Amino acid sequence: MKKKEFVIQDLLSKIYQHSTLENRKLPPERQLAQEYGVSRFTIRQALEKLVSIGVIEVIQGSGIYINERARTNPLVYNSITEKRFARIAFLMLSLHKKLPDNNDRVVFGLAAEEYIWQFSRLRYVDGVAVQIEHSKLPASTFPDLNRRAIESSIQNYVLGKGLTISHMLTRYQAIVIDRQQAALLGCKKGIPAMLIHNRGILEGGKVFEISEVIDIDYACTYVIPFNRNHLEFRQTPPQGV
């Protein structure tokens, strides 16, 4: 693990280890650099990342403050969601309407003759292509889906319809990049990547989007409460065994 990433992970651990209001501040940069045996530049990079995900706030001349609201909630961030939107851009590759297949009908709760949108786009971070995304949305819910919406935030587009997003269901699968994907991403064929299956769910239970994202630079961090009930369930032998 790189020094910067170690500092980030360790500071996150320490932030979530202590939940009292007396521990609202982190030590200054100089002290952190001494404690971790790294340069102040490395500390500054680590702090910038913690600022970007909303865990801390750096107030010039005052100190490094912990965001109490972030500390009292589960934290999940990945190599995309830790980036501000100003650093992210999209390029639409395709958009068309089609009749749903059986899986689409089941997921979206559609009749056989109801259409869905299907689009593909590239996601760039700091000008570098890092993701290919293939998505589907029900056309009846989003009749005006267009390039402008696809080349911005789909979630903001959905919220702009007055809808409320309830949950995101996500599954990860390790893959290698094929020739066509490598050409789009400007990388070598055969390098490892992450295939991310997403399902967006609205309040009330209706699915508004299903997508598959191929990411060549993926990392994800979770800070969540320990689930004792799930541990006990996994330790219980199944009935009949």
Side-chain angles (χ1 to χ4, degrees):
M1 183 182 293
K2 294 180 179 179
K3 290 181 179 179
K4 181 188 75 172
E5 291 302 323
F6 175 80
V7 173
I8 292 166
Q9 296 292 315
D10 195 63
L11 286 176
L12 271 176
S13 175
K14 287 180 168 59
I15 287 168
Y16 279 83
Q17 281 170 234
H18 304 287
S19 58
T20 61
L21 291 177
E22 289 77 16
N23 297 293
R24 290 191 62 242
K25 289 181 70 175
L26 294 180
E29 283 185 13
R30 186 184 301 276
Q31 183 178 336
L32 289 172
Q34 291 174 347
E35 290 179 2
Y36 287 105
V38 299
S39 68
R40 291 186 66 178
F41 176 73
T42 297
I43 293 297
R44 198 166 294 121
Q45 285 185 310
L47 294 177
E48 286 174 358
K49 183 165 183 177
L50 294 179
V51 168
S52 73
I53 61 177
V55 175
I56 64 169
E57 180 181 8
V58 179
I59 300 177
Q60 194 69 30
S62 180
I64 307 164
Y65 289 86
I66 296 168
N67 183 341
E68 292 301 323
R69 287 182 298 176
R71 187 158 64 173
T72 55
N73 291 300
L75 172 68
V76 180
Y77 71 90
N78 60 44
S79 46
I80 292 297
T81 60
E82 71 188 36
K83 306 292 193 309
R84 297 295 178 96
F85 279 108
R87 299 175 59 185
I88 300 173
F90 297 95
L91 174 65
M92 189 182 80
L93 302 176
S94 64
L95 170 65
H96 60 274
K97 276 185 180 179
K98 57 168 283 190
L99 289 171
D101 60 25
N102 186 63
N103 288 343
D104 298 331
R105 291 196 298 271
V106 170
V107 172
F108 291 121
L110 300 175
E113 67 278 4
E114 292 185 89
Y115 281 83
I116 62 170
W117 289 110
Q118 183 169 295
F119 73 81
S120 298
R121 64 180 181 175
L122 284 176
R123 180 186 270 115
Y124 295 82
V125 175
D126 296 329
V128 178
V130 295
Q131 285 188 352
I132 305 169
E133 179 182 345
H134 306 290
S135 292
K136 299 176 182 179
L137 294 87
S140 58
T141 307
F142 307 104
D144 63 346
L145 184 67
N146 53 42
R147 175 183 287 271
R148 181 177 179 181
I150 290 168
E151 294 188 344
S152 57
S153 166
I154 291 295
Q155 291 181 2
N156 279 339
Y157 169 73
V158 172
L159 294 173
K161 298 293 182 185
L163 302 170
T164 301
I165 299 174
S166 173
H167 292 80
M168 301 297 293
L169 174 64
T170 305
R171 177 177 178 268
Y172 305 98
Q173 180 182 349
I175 63 168
V176 295
I177 293 295
D178 64 25
R179 188 183 304 277
Q180 183 178 8
Q181 294 160 353
L184 288 171
L185 293 168
C187 63
K188 293 182 179 180
K189 173 188 172 184
I191 68 169
M194 187 67 74
L195 176 61
I196 307 164
H197 302 265
N198 284 315
R199 184 178 297 193
I201 304 169
L202 297 173
E203 192 174 78
K206 183 179 177 64
V207 174
F208 69 86
E209 180 186 25
I210 52 177
S211 66
E212 289 189 350
V213 177
I214 298 162
D215 194 320
I216 58 173
D217 186 27
Y218 189 80
C220 188
T221 297
Y222 296 81
V223 185
I224 58 176
F226 171 63
N227 190 331
R228 185 182 183 89
N229 291 334
H230 188 241
L231 175 64
E232 292 174 352
F233 169 78
R234 292 174 58 214
Q235 292 173 328
T236 304
Q239 294 182 357
V241 176

